[in-house]
Amino acid sequence: MESLTPDKIPRSQQAISVLWPSFITAIIASGVFFSAFNPRDLVPFNLDIDISPLAAYSIGFFLFWLLASLSSFGTLYFTISNCRFLNNQR
Amino acid sequence: MAQKENTVEPVLYEAHKKIYPREVSGYFTRLRVLSLVTLLGIYYVTPLLQWDGRQAILFDLPARKFYLFGLTLWPQDFIYLAALLILAGLALFFFTALLGRVWCGYACPQTVWTEAYLWMERKIEGKRGQRMKLDKAPTSAAKIRTKTLKHVVWIAFSLWTGFTFVAYFTPIDELAGELLNLSLGPWETFWILFYSFATYGNAGFMREQVCKYMCPYARFQSAMFDSDTLIVAYHPERGEPRGSRRRSVEPAAVGLGDCIDCNVCVQVCPTGIDIRDGLQYECIACSACIDACDEIMDKMSYPRGLVRYTTENSALGKRQHLLRPRIIVYATILLLLCGILVTHISQRVALDLDVIRDRNTLYRETNDGLIENVYTLKILNMDSQAHVYKLWVEGIDGVKLVSDRPEIEVEAGSVYQMVVRLQADEFNLEARSVTVRFHLQAKDGNHLKTVTDARFVGPGKS
């Protein structure tokens, strides 16, 4: 059988491989970040915003998830494109 | 080569075949159900427990306090939480080395909720054969009714799960009140729905795929395994050659082993593998195949244990070692960390003092010719009752502490901020910057004391 390459993984599993590890990372990152900083003391970009703590934690979590997803997506993208490139060369 | 690649379509993961685990009964199944029901009970009951007039376990995010029965943890105590996580990880290593994937089969939330959802599915759609028949059947009113009922029950259970999850972060009575008044906050609503959806998807649909494709532990657990780790295994020497035969036939008489090839062990498997193919990473060691096979062996009047809990060494007839370096090392580290954590928490002082020197002015000279520095103190009383504290300073001969608050009283679980001035004779200052030590102690408890160092800045020796 031909050796299997990541570019042949179904789309749904590619999506999971981006979203799932970044989800775990976002949990750890929010835990560490919000233990060190109280959202009440944070004034992002000098904006005068008044939101509830739960909203601040939630938005923080999703920002971390987004950032980690971008990184996971980058890894997946380069893995797949490199696989295609190497396959074409053979 | 390139041509060949185009014709051979490699398949990385086989197309997903829905698994219909067959119902099973027996000793290990009873043990497993006991474990699953206990864990589910703990999850749903914990937020209902009360302690000292508040929820016993509550991660109060807005107030930034974690309540664990009598213990209140602050963000400063983050290290305990981190230590607890490390401890949990180590415990997982230890139990994996000793008992194999006992976590996967008996305690993992993925298993616990999958089994709960399977149980509901069974109650509504029937046994394995009935479920398979229903899925194959053409759409009919009866099929839609049964399927709708299943999803309604699943969604209701998911919503209860999501509600309970959020109740670990928002007091459950408040949350229930808001729910009944239909005045739930937007984020609380969002998280209830988010967690419900995750439960519904993971336990209702993804099931064994989470273990096979998403669980990191499933991939690296073999690193903790050795030849003395407990595994679920088939006994090929006894079972092979497998084959069907009539009951009460001596296997040897027909040239067969004890395995009658009834496939029940495959049908009960929640991950859809054949245990007779040997140790596989999909196996979550749920032991359903052991009970299933024992039942068949009983029917055939063969001895039990064709599929059984064993170890690699025991299966090969070698000596077993319970105490081996790996176990001893894991256990030692585990006990050591436990000891350190318990000692630390028991000696934790429920008092914290932050000293911030006024950075606007280096120092000031008073009318009496003394050098003065200004500090802002933040006193954090982490105890569950109010205290009156005394404050004193050392580090400079004859240093004077001036404060407009004669009495420092701090409410339970709150922060108290005050400004103090230190005055010292220039003659007593050894250098431009000297360390001063602030002492804070509760008047009613000698153990409630803390010290914090700060800088005192003067003109320096000329």
Side-chain angles (χ1 to χ4, degrees):
Chain A
M1 201 166 81
E2 273 299 316
S3 65
L4 307 167
T5 50
D7 53 330
K8 303 294 193 305
I9 303 175
R11 270 291 147 83
S12 59
Q13 275 158 6
Q14 289 181 0
I16 286 174
S17 72
V18 169
L19 293 174
W20 176 237
S22 50
F23 180 76
I24 308 265
T25 309
I27 290 175
I28 299 168
S30 330
V32 173
F33 182 81
F34 287 118
S35 296
F37 302 102
N38 187 342
R40 210 167 288 164
D41 302 335
L42 297 175
V43 187
F45 310 113
N46 278 331
L47 289 175
D48 182 23
I49 41 173
D50 187 27
I51 50 172
S52 74
L54 191 59
Y57 291 121
S58 304
I59 292 167
F61 170 76
F62 281 105
L63 281 179
F64 279 124
W65 196 3
L66 181 73
L67 281 177
S69 292
L70 286 176
S71 167
S72 289
F73 178 77
T75 307
L76 181 73
Y77 175 76
F78 286 122
T79 311
I80 287 175
S81 59
N82 286 350
C83 274
R84 293 218 174 106
F85 176 70
L86 291 173
N87 281 336
N88 286 340
Q89 277 207 322
R90 275 202 303 185
Chain B
M1 187 77 190
Q3 246 184 342
K4 195 182 162 204
E5 251 182 15
N6 288 340
T7 50
V8 180
E9 183 63 32
V11 190
L12 185 57
Y13 301 142
E14 71 218 301
H16 174 58
K17 276 188 254 108
K18 188 172 171 188
I19 292 167
Y20 301 87
R22 184 187 164 121
E23 37 293 326
V24 61
S25 61
Y27 174 75
F28 292 112
T29 306
R30 282 198 296 278
L31 203 64
R32 195 153 168 261
V33 168
L34 183 72
S35 166
L36 303 183
V37 169
T38 309
L39 290 169
L40 277 177
I42 290 174
Y43 175 79
Y44 292 103
V45 168
T46 301
L48 299 170
L49 301 177
Q50 294 288 311
W51 186 277
D52 269 350
R54 55 158 171 84
Q55 200 165 307
I57 293 182
L58 180 67
F59 299 94
D60 189 347
L61 291 180
R64 295 173 70 74
K65 288 178 202 166
F66 286 2
Y67 298 107
L68 288 170
F69 297 101
L71 196 68
T72 305
L73 294 177
W74 293 67
Q76 288 90 324
D77 301 319
F78 174 73
I79 189 78
Y80 294 127
L81 218 60
L84 219 59
L85 285 178
I86 294 171
L87 217 59
L90 267 172
L92 189 62
F93 286 9
F94 173 75
F95 285 112
T96 304
L98 198 64
L99 300 173
R101 291 178 70 172
V102 67
W103 163 261
C104 297
Y106 292 79
C108 176
Q110 182 61 32
T111 296
V112 171
W113 268 274
T114 296
E115 285 298 324
Y117 278 61
L118 255 175
W119 180 81
M120 289 181 253
E121 191 170 68
R122 244 174 234 146
K123 288 285 160 205
I124 294 165
E125 291 188 355
K127 294 186 166 189
R128 179 173 192 263
Q130 290 169 300
R131 295 204 303 276
M132 291 169 87
K133 211 171 121 194
L134 183 73
D135 278 359
K136 278 202 198 104
T139 314
S140 67
K143 183 174 176 177
I144 293 174
R145 231 180 1 254
T146 313
K147 288 280 176 192
T148 309
L149 177 64
K150 180 179 85 173
H151 287 287
V152 166
V153 171
W154 273 3
I155 290 169
F157 196 73
S158 303
L159 286 172
W160 183 31
T161 311
F163 174 82
T164 306
F165 175 73
V166 174
Y168 279 89
F169 301 92
T170 305
I172 195 163
D173 38 359
E174 238 175 72
L175 201 62
E178 284 175 7
L179 186 69
L180 292 176
N181 292 333
L182 298 175
S183 61
L184 270 180
W187 284 104
E188 279 149 353
T189 313
F190 169 79
W191 284 114
I192 290 177
L193 293 178
F194 185 91
Y195 202 84
S196 305
F197 177 72
T199 310
Y200 178 65
N202 280 344
F205 301 93
M206 311 260 292
R207 294 188 178 170
E208 80 289 343
Q209 295 177 78
V210 174
C211 313
K212 279 160 82 170
Y213 304 127
M214 288 165 70
C215 178
Y217 170 70
R219 309 284 171 107
F220 70 72
Q221 40 82 23
S222 59
M224 274 87 79
F225 271 54
D226 57 27
S227 308
D228 291 299
T229 300
L230 202 64
I231 49 172
V232 175
Y234 167 68
H235 198 329
E237 285 78 23
R238 199 189 128 189
E240 300 298 319
R242 64 184 83 154
S244 58
R245 77 288 310 261
R246 258 173 307 170
R247 205 179 288 191
S248 71
V249 167
E250 265 309 306
V254 280
L256 291 171
D258 279 359
C259 176
I260 66 167
D261 207 9
C262 61
N263 261 339
V264 170
C265 57
V266 180
Q267 291 171 8
V268 297
C269 180
T271 67
I273 58 166
D274 188 341
I275 193 69
R276 295 170 300 179
D277 295 343
L279 194 59
Q280 293 146 78
Y281 98 97
E282 291 96 328
C283 173
I284 58 167
C286 70
S287 65
C289 50
I290 300 182
D291 280 340
C293 189
D294 280 349
E295 211 179 322
I296 299 294
M297 290 295 111
D298 287 353
K299 276 188 193 151
M300 298 297 293
S301 320
Y302 295 164
R304 289 180 164 205
L306 182 58
V307 180
R308 76 263 188 247
Y309 269 120
T310 183
T311 66
E312 198 188 316
N313 272 346
S314 149
L316 294 172
K318 290 187 194 158
R319 246 195 82 204
Q320 286 195 74
H321 315 268
L322 185 64
L323 286 177
R324 40 201 202 269
R326 183 190 292 265
I327 296 290
I328 296 168
V329 168
Y330 283 150
T332 312
I333 301 175
L334 202 56
L335 284 175
L336 211 68
L337 257 178
C338 265
I340 293 172
L341 189 66
V342 168
T343 320
H344 255 266
I345 289 186
S346 65
Q347 296 194 338
R348 196 175 76 109
V349 176
L351 177 64
D352 196 45
L353 173 65
D354 259 354
V355 180
I356 304 151
R357 216 182 69 86
D358 183 9
R359 290 194 176 89
N360 292 327
T361 47
L362 278 178
Y363 63 91
R364 188 176 91 80
E365 247 186 273
T366 64
N367 293 337
D368 311 334
L370 296 171
I371 304 296
E372 182 181 89
N373 278 205
V374 180
Y375 302 85
T376 304
L377 305 189
K378 272 187 185 167
I379 299 166
L380 178 57
N381 176 11
M382 298 185 271
D383 206 16
S384 51
Q385 62 193 68
H387 289 286
V388 177
Y389 299 95
K390 58 181 177 201
L391 178 71
W392 72 97
V393 185
E394 60 172 15
I396 305 166
D397 279 343
V399 65
K400 250 192 347 189
L401 179 89
V402 183
S403 156
D404 47 3
R405 310 258 179 93
E407 188 101 285
I408 307 171
E409 188 177 359
V410 189
E411 291 299 313
S414 59
V415 186
Y416 181 86
Q417 197 163 322
M418 64 188 284
V419 175
V420 298
R421 286 167 298 169
L422 292 189
Q423 296 173 347
D425 197 324
E426 194 182 335
F427 178 74
N428 291 325
L429 296 174
E430 313 247 302
R432 222 180 72 81
S433 168
V434 186
T435 303
V436 283
R437 176 162 285 188
F438 285 82
H439 291 260
L440 187 70
Q441 184 173 3
K443 285 185 173 170
D444 55 349
N446 286 336
H447 64 283
L448 280 175
K449 61 182 172 194
T450 184
V451 292
T452 303
D453 287 346
R455 313 294 300 166
F456 185 94
V457 178
K461 293 267 184 229
S462 50

